[in-house]
Coordinates of all heavy atoms in Angstrom, one line a residue:
M1 N 19.2 -15.1 38.0 CA 18.2 -14.3 37.3 C 17.1 -15.2 36.8 O 17.3 -16.1 36.1 CB 18.9 -13.5 36.2 CG 17.9 -12.7 35.4 SD 18.6 -11.6 34.2 CE 19.2 -12.7 33.0
S2 N 15.9 -14.9 37.1 CA 14.8 -15.6 36.6 C 14.4 -15.2 35.2 O 14.7 -14.1 34.7 CB 13.5 -15.5 37.5 OG 12.9 -14.2 37.3
Y3 N 13.7 -16.0 34.4 CA 13.3 -15.7 33.1 C 12.3 -14.6 33.1 O 12.3 -13.7 32.2 CB 12.7 -16.9 32.4 CG 13.8 -17.9 32.0 CD1 13.8 -19.2 32.5 CD2 14.8 -17.6 31.1 CE1 14.8 -20.1 32.2 CE2 15.8 -18.4 30.8 CZ 15.8 -19.7 31.3 OH 16.8 -20.6 31.0
V4 N 11.4 -14.5 34.1 CA 10.4 -13.4 34.2 C 11.1 -12.1 34.3 O 10.7 -11.1 33.7 CB 9.4 -13.7 35.3 CG1 8.4 -12.5 35.5 CG2 8.6 -15.0 35.0
S5 N 12.1 -12.0 35.2 CA 12.8 -10.8 35.4 C 13.6 -10.3 34.2 O 14.0 -9.2 34.0 CB 13.7 -10.8 36.6 OG 14.8 -11.8 36.4
A6 N 13.9 -11.3 33.3 CA 14.6 -11.0 32.0 C 13.6 -10.6 30.9 O 14.0 -10.4 29.8 CB 15.4 -12.2 31.6
G7 N 12.3 -10.4 31.2 CA 11.4 -10.0 30.3 C 10.8 -11.1 29.4 O 10.1 -10.9 28.4
I8 N 11.0 -12.3 29.8 CA 10.5 -13.5 29.1 C 9.2 -13.9 29.7 O 9.2 -14.4 30.8 CB 11.5 -14.6 29.1 CG1 12.8 -14.2 28.4 CG2 10.9 -15.9 28.4 CD1 13.9 -15.1 28.5
Q9 N 8.1 -13.7 29.0 CA 6.8 -14.1 29.6 C 6.1 -15.1 28.7 O 5.2 -15.8 29.2 CB 5.9 -12.8 29.6 CG 6.5 -11.8 30.6 CD 5.7 -10.5 30.6 OE1 4.7 -10.4 29.9 NE2 6.1 -9.6 31.5
Q10 N 6.5 -15.3 27.5 CA 5.9 -16.3 26.6 C 7.0 -17.2 26.0 O 8.2 -16.7 25.9 CB 5.0 -15.7 25.5 CG 3.9 -14.9 26.2 CD 2.9 -14.6 25.2 OE1 2.7 -15.2 24.1 NE2 2.1 -13.6 25.4
P11 N 6.7 -18.4 25.5 CA 7.8 -19.2 25.0 C 8.5 -18.6 23.8 O 9.7 -18.7 23.7 CB 7.0 -20.5 24.5 CG 5.8 -20.5 25.4 CD 5.5 -19.1 25.7
M12 N 7.8 -17.9 22.9 CA 8.5 -17.3 21.8 C 9.5 -16.2 22.2 O 10.5 -16.0 21.5 CB 7.4 -16.7 20.8 CG 8.0 -16.3 19.5 SD 8.8 -17.6 18.6 CE 7.5 -18.3 17.6
D13 N 9.2 -15.5 23.4 CA 10.2 -14.5 23.9 C 11.5 -15.2 24.1 O 12.6 -14.6 23.9 CB 9.7 -13.9 25.2 CG 8.4 -13.1 25.0 OD1 8.1 -12.7 23.8 OD2 7.7 -12.9 26.0
L14 N 11.5 -16.4 24.7 CA 12.8 -17.1 25.0 C 13.5 -17.4 23.7 O 14.7 -17.2 23.6 CB 12.5 -18.4 25.8 CG 13.7 -19.2 26.1 CD1 14.7 -18.4 27.0 CD2 13.3 -20.5 26.8
L15 N 12.8 -17.9 22.7 CA 13.4 -18.2 21.4 C 14.0 -16.9 20.7 O 15.1 -16.9 20.2 CB 12.4 -18.9 20.5 CG 12.1 -20.3 20.8 CD1 11.1 -20.9 19.9 CD2 13.3 -21.2 20.8
L16 N 13.2 -15.9 20.7 CA 13.6 -14.6 20.0 C 14.9 -14.1 20.7 O 15.8 -13.5 20.1 CB 12.5 -13.6 19.9 CG 11.4 -14.0 19.0 CD1 10.2 -13.0 19.1 CD2 11.8 -14.2 17.6
G17 N 14.9 -14.2 22.1 CA 16.1 -13.8 22.8 C 17.3 -14.7 22.6 O 18.4 -14.3 23.0
S18 N 17.1 -15.8 22.1 CA 18.2 -16.8 21.8 C 18.8 -16.6 20.5 O 19.8 -17.4 20.1 CB 17.7 -18.2 22.1 OG 17.3 -18.4 23.4
I19 N 18.3 -15.8 19.6 CA 18.9 -15.6 18.3 C 20.3 -15.1 18.4 O 20.6 -14.1 19.2 CB 18.0 -14.6 17.4 CG1 16.7 -15.4 17.1 CG2 18.7 -14.2 16.1 CD1 15.7 -14.6 16.3
G20 N 21.2 -15.7 17.7 CA 22.6 -15.4 17.8 C 23.3 -16.1 18.9 O 24.5 -15.9 19.0
K21 N 22.6 -16.9 19.6 CA 23.3 -17.7 20.7 C 23.2 -19.2 20.4 O 22.4 -19.6 19.6 CB 22.6 -17.4 22.0 CG 22.7 -15.9 22.4 CD 21.9 -15.6 23.6 CE 22.0 -14.1 23.9 NZ 21.2 -13.7 25.0
K22 N 23.9 -20.0 21.2 CA 23.9 -21.4 21.1 C 22.6 -22.0 21.7 O 22.2 -21.6 22.7 CB 25.1 -22.1 21.8 CG 26.4 -21.7 21.2 CD 26.9 -22.7 20.3 CE 28.3 -22.4 19.8 NZ 28.6 -23.1 18.6
V23 N 22.0 -23.0 21.0 CA 20.8 -23.7 21.5 C 20.9 -25.2 21.3 O 21.7 -25.6 20.5 CB 19.5 -23.2 20.7 CG1 19.2 -21.7 21.1 CG2 19.6 -23.4 19.3
Y24 N 20.2 -25.9 22.1 CA 20.1 -27.3 22.0 C 18.7 -27.6 21.4 O 17.7 -27.1 21.9 CB 20.3 -28.0 23.3 CG 19.8 -29.4 23.4 CD1 20.6 -30.4 22.9 CD2 18.6 -29.8 24.0 CE1 20.2 -31.8 23.0 CE2 18.2 -31.1 24.1 CZ 19.0 -32.1 23.6 OH 18.6 -33.4 23.7
V25 N 18.6 -28.5 20.4 CA 17.3 -28.8 19.8 C 17.1 -30.3 19.8 O 18.0 -31.0 19.3 CB 17.1 -28.3 18.4 CG1 15.8 -28.7 17.8 CG2 17.4 -26.8 18.3
R26 N 16.0 -30.9 20.4 CA 15.8 -32.3 20.4 C 14.7 -32.5 19.3 O 13.6 -31.9 19.4 CB 15.3 -32.8 21.7 CG 15.1 -34.3 21.7 CD 14.9 -34.8 23.1 NE 14.6 -36.2 23.0 CZ 15.3 -37.1 23.6 NH1 16.4 -36.8 24.3 NH2 15.0 -38.4 23.4
C27 N 14.9 -33.4 18.4 CA 14.0 -33.7 17.3 C 13.5 -35.1 17.4 O 14.0 -35.9 18.2 CB 14.7 -33.5 16.0 SG 15.4 -31.9 15.7
R28 N 12.5 -35.4 16.5 CA 12.0 -36.8 16.4 C 13.1 -37.7 16.0 O 14.1 -37.3 15.5 CB 10.9 -36.8 15.5 CG 9.7 -36.0 15.9 CD 8.6 -36.1 14.9 NE 7.5 -35.2 15.2 CZ 6.4 -35.1 14.6 NH1 6.1 -36.0 13.6 NH2 5.4 -34.3 15.0
A29 N 12.9 -39.0 16.2 CA 13.8 -40.1 15.8 C 15.1 -40.0 16.5 O 16.1 -40.5 16.0 CB 14.0 -40.1 14.3
G30 N 15.2 -39.3 17.7 CA 16.4 -39.3 18.5 C 17.5 -38.3 18.1 O 18.6 -38.3 18.6
R31 N 17.2 -37.5 17.1 CA 18.2 -36.5 16.7 C 18.3 -35.4 17.7 O 17.4 -34.9 18.3 CB 17.7 -35.8 15.4 CG 17.9 -36.6 14.1 CD 17.4 -35.9 12.9 NE 18.3 -34.8 12.5 CZ 18.0 -33.9 11.6 NH1 16.8 -33.8 11.1 NH2 18.8 -33.0 11.3
E32 N 19.6 -35.0 18.0 CA 19.9 -33.9 18.8 C 20.8 -33.0 18.1 O 21.8 -33.4 17.5 CB 20.6 -34.4 20.1 CG 19.6 -35.3 21.0 CD 20.3 -35.8 22.2 OE1 21.5 -35.4 22.5 OE2 19.6 -36.5 23.0
L33 N 20.5 -31.7 18.2 CA 21.3 -30.7 17.4 C 21.8 -29.6 18.4 O 21.0 -29.2 19.3 CB 20.4 -30.0 16.4 CG 19.7 -30.9 15.4 CD1 18.6 -30.1 14.6 CD2 20.6 -31.6 14.5
R34 N 23.0 -29.1 18.2 CA 23.5 -28.0 19.0 C 24.2 -27.1 18.0 O 24.9 -27.5 17.1 CB 24.6 -28.5 20.0 CG 24.0 -29.3 21.1 CD 25.1 -29.9 22.0 NE 24.5 -30.6 23.1 CZ 24.0 -31.8 23.1 NH1 23.9 -32.4 22.0 NH2 23.5 -32.3 24.2
G35 N 23.8 -25.8 18.1 CA 24.4 -24.8 17.1 C 23.9 -23.4 17.4 O 23.1 -23.2 18.4
T36 N 24.2 -22.5 16.6 CA 23.8 -21.1 16.8 C 22.5 -20.8 16.0 O 22.4 -21.1 14.8 CB 24.9 -20.2 16.2 OG1 26.1 -20.4 16.9 CG2 24.5 -18.7 16.5
L37 N 21.5 -20.3 16.8 CA 20.2 -20.0 16.2 C 20.3 -18.7 15.4 O 20.7 -17.7 16.0 CB 19.2 -19.9 17.3 CG 17.7 -19.6 16.9 CD1 17.2 -20.8 16.1 CD2 16.9 -19.4 18.2
H38 N 19.8 -18.7 14.2 CA 19.8 -17.5 13.4 C 18.4 -16.9 13.2 O 18.2 -15.7 13.1 CB 20.5 -17.7 12.0 CG 21.9 -17.8 12.1 ND1 22.8 -16.7 12.2 CD2 22.8 -18.9 12.2 CE1 24.0 -17.1 12.4 NE2 24.0 -18.4 12.4
S39 N 17.4 -17.8 13.0 CA 16.0 -17.3 12.9 C 15.0 -18.4 13.3 O 15.3 -19.6 13.3 CB 15.8 -16.9 11.4 OG 15.8 -18.0 10.6
V40 N 13.8 -17.9 13.6 CA 12.7 -18.8 14.0 C 11.4 -18.1 13.6 O 11.4 -16.9 13.5 CB 12.7 -19.0 15.6 CG1 12.6 -17.7 16.3 CG2 11.7 -20.0 16.0
D41 N 10.5 -18.9 13.2 CA 9.2 -18.3 12.8 C 8.1 -18.9 13.6 O 8.3 -19.7 14.5 CB 8.9 -18.5 11.3 CG 8.7 -19.9 10.8 OD1 8.5 -20.8 11.7 OD2 8.7 -20.1 9.6
E42 N 6.8 -18.5 13.3 CA 5.7 -18.9 14.1 C 5.4 -20.4 14.0 O 4.7 -21.0 14.9 CB 4.4 -18.1 13.7 CG 3.9 -18.4 12.3 CD 4.6 -17.6 11.2 OE1 5.5 -16.8 11.5 OE2 4.1 -17.7 10.1
H43 N 6.0 -21.1 13.1 CA 5.8 -22.6 13.0 C 7.0 -23.3 13.6 O 7.0 -24.6 13.5 CB 5.8 -23.0 11.5 CG 4.7 -22.3 10.7 ND1 3.3 -22.6 10.9 CD2 4.8 -21.3 9.8 CE1 2.6 -21.8 10.1 NE2 3.5 -21.0 9.4
L44 N 7.9 -22.6 14.3 CA 9.1 -23.1 14.9 C 10.1 -23.7 13.9 O 10.9 -24.5 14.3 CB 8.8 -24.2 16.0 CG 8.1 -23.6 17.2 CD1 7.9 -24.7 18.3 CD2 8.8 -22.4 17.8
N45 N 10.0 -23.3 12.6 CA 11.0 -23.5 11.7 C 12.3 -22.8 12.1 O 12.2 -21.6 12.5 CB 10.6 -23.1 10.3 CG 9.5 -23.8 9.7 OD1 9.3 -25.0 9.9 ND2 8.6 -23.1 9.0
L46 N 13.4 -23.4 12.1 CA 14.7 -22.8 12.6 C 15.7 -22.8 11.5 O 15.8 -23.7 10.7 CB 15.2 -23.6 13.8 CG 14.4 -24.0 14.9 CD1 15.1 -24.8 15.9 CD2 13.9 -22.7 15.6
M47 N 16.6 -21.8 11.5 CA 17.8 -21.7 10.7 C 18.9 -21.6 11.7 O 18.9 -20.8 12.6 CB 17.7 -20.5 9.8 CG 18.9 -20.4 8.9 SD 19.1 -21.7 7.7 CE 17.8 -21.3 6.6
M48 N 19.9 -22.6 11.6 CA 21.0 -22.7 12.5 C 22.3 -22.8 11.8 O 22.3 -23.3 10.6 CB 20.8 -23.9 13.4 CG 19.6 -23.8 14.4 SD 19.4 -25.4 15.3 CE 20.8 -25.4 16.3
S49 N 23.4 -22.4 12.4 CA 24.7 -22.5 11.8 C 25.6 -23.2 12.8 O 25.3 -23.3 14.0 CB 25.3 -21.2 11.4 OG 25.6 -20.4 12.6
G50 N 26.7 -23.7 12.3 CA 27.7 -24.4 13.1 C 27.0 -25.6 13.9 O 27.3 -25.8 15.1
V51 N 26.3 -26.4 13.2 CA 25.4 -27.4 13.8 C 26.2 -28.7 14.0 O 26.8 -29.2 13.1 CB 24.1 -27.7 13.0 CG1 23.3 -28.7 13.7 CG2 23.3 -26.4 12.9
N52 N 26.1 -29.3 15.2 CA 26.6 -30.6 15.5 C 25.4 -31.5 15.8 O 24.5 -31.1 16.6 CB 27.5 -30.6 16.8 CG 27.9 -32.0 17.1 OD1 27.3 -32.6 17.9 ND2 29.0 -32.4 16.5
E53 N 25.2 -32.5 15.0 CA 24.1 -33.4 15.1 C 24.5 -34.8 15.6 O 25.5 -35.3 15.2 CB 23.4 -33.7 13.7 CG 22.3 -34.7 13.8 CD 21.8 -35.1 12.4 OE1 22.4 -34.7 11.4 OE2 20.8 -35.8 12.4
T54 N 23.8 -35.3 16.6 CA 24.0 -36.7 17.1 C 22.7 -37.4 17.0 O 21.6 -36.8 17.2 CB 24.5 -36.7 18.5 OG1 23.7 -36.0 19.4 CG2 25.9 -36.1 18.6
N55 N 22.7 -38.7 16.7 CA 21.4 -39.4 16.6 C 21.6 -40.8 17.3 O 21.0 -41.8 16.8 CB 20.9 -39.5 15.2 CG 21.8 -40.3 14.3 OD1 22.8 -40.8 14.7 ND2 21.5 -40.3 13.0
G56 N 22.4 -40.9 18.3 CA 22.7 -42.2 18.9 C 23.9 -42.8 18.5 O 24.8 -43.1 19.3
T57 N 24.1 -43.1 17.2 CA 25.3 -43.8 16.8 C 26.2 -42.9 15.9 O 27.4 -43.1 15.8 CB 24.9 -45.0 15.9 OG1 24.1 -44.6 14.8 CG2 24.1 -46.0 16.8
A58 N 25.6 -41.9 15.2 CA 26.4 -41.1 14.3 C 26.5 -39.7 14.9 O 25.7 -39.2 15.7 CB 25.7 -41.0 12.9
N59 N 27.6 -39.0 14.4 CA 27.8 -37.6 14.8 C 28.3 -36.9 13.6 O 29.3 -37.4 12.9 CB 28.9 -37.6 15.9 CG 29.1 -36.3 16.5 OD1 28.5 -35.3 16.1 ND2 30.0 -36.2 17.5
R60 N 27.7 -35.8 13.2 CA 28.2 -35.0 12.1 C 28.0 -33.5 12.3 O 27.2 -33.1 13.1 CB 27.5 -35.4 10.8 CG 26.0 -35.1 10.7 CD 25.4 -35.6 9.4 NE 24.0 -35.4 9.4 CZ 23.2 -35.4 8.4 NH1 23.8 -35.6 7.2 NH2 21.9 -35.2 8.5
N61 N 28.8 -32.8 11.6 CA 28.8 -31.3 11.6 C 28.3 -30.7 10.3 O 28.6 -31.2 9.3 CB 30.2 -30.8 12.0 CG 30.7 -31.2 13.3 OD1 29.9 -31.0 14.3 ND2 31.8 -31.8 13.4
M62 N 27.5 -29.7 10.4 CA 27.0 -29.0 9.2 C 27.2 -27.5 9.4 O 26.9 -27.0 10.5 CB 25.5 -29.3 9.1 CG 25.3 -30.8 8.7 SD 23.6 -31.3 9.0 CE 23.6 -31.6 10.7
P63 N 27.6 -26.8 8.4 CA 27.8 -25.4 8.5 C 26.5 -24.6 8.6 O 26.5 -23.6 9.3 CB 28.6 -25.0 7.2 CG 28.4 -26.1 6.3 CD 28.1 -27.3 7.1
M64 N 25.4 -25.0 7.9 CA 24.1 -24.3 8.0 C 23.0 -25.4 7.8 O 23.2 -26.4 7.1 CB 24.0 -23.3 6.8 CG 22.8 -22.4 6.9 SD 22.8 -21.3 8.3 CE 24.0 -20.1 7.8
L65 N 21.9 -25.2 8.6 CA 20.9 -26.2 8.6 C 19.5 -25.5 8.8 O 19.4 -24.6 9.6 CB 21.1 -27.2 9.7 CG 20.1 -28.4 9.8 CD1 20.2 -29.3 8.5 CD2 20.4 -29.2 11.0
F66 N 18.5 -25.9 8.0 CA 17.1 -25.5 8.2 C 16.4 -26.7 8.8 O 16.5 -27.8 8.3 CB 16.5 -25.2 6.8 CG 15.0 -24.9 6.9 CD1 14.5 -23.7 7.3 CD2 14.1 -25.9 6.6 CE1 13.2 -23.4 7.4 CE2 12.7 -25.7 6.7 CZ 12.3 -24.4 7.1
I67 N 15.7 -26.4 9.9 CA 14.9 -27.5 10.6 C 13.4 -27.1 10.6 O 13.1 -26.1 11.0 CB 15.4 -27.7 12.1 CG1 16.9 -27.9 12.1 CG2 14.6 -28.8 12.7 CD1 17.7 -26.8 12.5
R68 N 12.6 -28.1 10.0 CA 11.2 -27.8 10.0 C 10.6 -28.0 11.4 O 11.0 -28.8 12.2 CB 10.5 -28.9 9.1 CG 10.6 -28.6 7.7 CD 9.9 -29.6 6.8 NE 8.5 -29.9 7.4 CZ 7.4 -29.7 6.7 NH1 7.5 -29.2 5.5 NH2 6.3 -29.9 7.2
G69 N 9.7 -27.1 11.8 CA 9.2 -27.0 13.1 C 8.4 -28.2 13.5 O 8.3 -28.6 14.7
D70 N 7.8 -28.9 12.6 CA 7.0 -30.1 12.9 C 7.8 -31.3 13.4 O 7.2 -32.3 13.9 CB 6.0 -30.5 11.8 CG 6.7 -30.9 10.5 OD1 8.0 -30.8 10.4 OD2 6.0 -31.4 9.6
G71 N 9.1 -31.3 13.2 CA 10.0 -32.3 13.7 C 10.7 -32.1 15.0 O 11.4 -32.9 15.5
I72 N 10.3 -30.9 15.6 CA 11.0 -30.5 16.8 C 10.2 -30.9 18.1 O 9.0 -30.7 18.1 CB 11.2 -29.0 16.8 CG1 12.2 -28.6 15.7 CG2 11.7 -28.5 18.2 CD1 12.4 -27.1 15.5
I73 N 10.9 -31.5 19.0 CA 10.3 -31.9 20.3 C 10.5 -30.8 21.3 O 9.6 -30.4 22.1 CB 10.8 -33.2 20.8 CG1 10.4 -34.3 19.9 CG2 10.3 -33.5 22.2 CD1 11.0 -35.7 20.2
G74 N 11.8 -30.3 21.4 CA 12.1 -29.2 22.4 C 13.3 -28.4 22.0 O 14.1 -28.9 21.2
I75 N 13.3 -27.2 22.5 CA 14.4 -26.3 22.2 C 14.8 -25.6 23.6 O 14.0 -25.2 24.4 CB 14.0 -25.1 21.3 CG1 13.4 -25.7 20.0 CG2 15.2 -24.2 21.0 CD1 12.8 -24.7 19.1
S76 N 16.2 -25.5 23.8 CA 16.7 -25.0 25.0 C 17.9 -24.1 24.7 O 18.8 -24.6 24.0 CB 17.0 -26.1 26.0 OG 17.6 -25.5 27.2
P77 N 18.0 -22.9 25.3 CA 19.2 -22.2 25.2 C 20.3 -22.9 25.9 O 20.1 -23.5 26.9 CB 18.9 -20.8 25.8 CG 17.6 -21.0 26.5 CD 17.0 -22.2 26.1
I78 N 21.6 -22.8 25.4 CA 22.7 -23.4 26.1 C 23.4 -22.2 26.9 O 23.9 -21.3 26.3 CB 23.7 -24.0 25.1 CG1 23.0 -25.2 24.4 CG2 25.0 -24.5 25.9 CD1 23.9 -25.8 23.3
H79 N 23.4 -22.3 28.2 CA 24.0 -21.2 29.1 C 25.4 -21.7 29.5 O 25.5 -22.8 29.9 CB 23.1 -21.0 30.3 CG 21.8 -20.4 30.0 ND1 21.7 -19.1 29.6 CD2 20.5 -20.9 30.0 CE1 20.4 -18.8 29.4 NE2 19.7 -19.9 29.6
K80 N 26.3 -20.8 29.3 CA 27.7 -21.1 29.7 C 27.8 -20.9 31.2 O 27.3 -19.9 31.7 CB 28.7 -20.3 29.0 CG 28.5 -20.5 27.5 CD 29.8 -20.4 26.8 CE 29.5 -20.6 25.3 NZ 30.5 -21.1 24.6
Q81 N 28.4 -21.8 31.9 CA 28.6 -21.6 33.4 C 29.8 -20.9 33.7 O 30.8 -21.0 33.2 CB 28.6 -23.0 34.0 CG 27.4 -23.8 33.8 CD 26.3 -23.6 34.8 OE1 26.6 -23.2 35.9 NE2 25.1 -23.9 34.5

């Protein structure tokens, strides 16, 4: 199924459709986050839960996390195969 056939025509549509689902977020300084997306706004500020953070050498888990949009490089939904 293509994203267009799923009704996704703009980038924000993909993010809004990913609320309540697992996402991968790449941040500045090599931080990578995986967790459940709870909310997103027009500045790409995110609220996530069940977050696993890796930054090259360290790995930690956080029950809830707010991420400022200006530190985000990319966001991708995690699709289960």
Side-chain angles (χ1 to χ4, degrees):
M1 173 170 76
S2 73
Y3 288 118
V4 174
S5 65
I8 298 171
Q9 297 178 356
Q10 298 195 23
M12 192 57 92
D13 296 338
L14 180 62
L15 288 176
L16 293 174
S18 296
I19 292 178
K21 299 177 183 171
K22 296 263 186 200
V23 294
Y24 165 79
V25 180
R26 184 171 176 120
C27 301
R28 295 180 188 189
R31 285 177 74 192
E32 295 181 0
L33 308 168
R34 288 173 178 79
T36 303
L37 180 65
H38 286 280
S39 65
V40 61
D41 68 11
E42 67 274 5
H43 304 289
L44 293 185
N45 296 320
L46 307 178
M47 182 65 73
M48 296 173 63
S49 68
V51 179
N52 176 268
E53 175 190 7
T54 57
N55 64 4
T57 58
N59 187 1
R60 66 179 175 164
N61 294 307
M62 293 163 276
M64 189 67 75
L65 183 65
F66 172 82
I67 303 104
R68 283 182 46 120
D70 63 352
I72 295 173
I73 294 172
I75 307 169
S76 175
I78 297 175
H79 294 288
K80 302 213 180 203
Q81 300 269 339

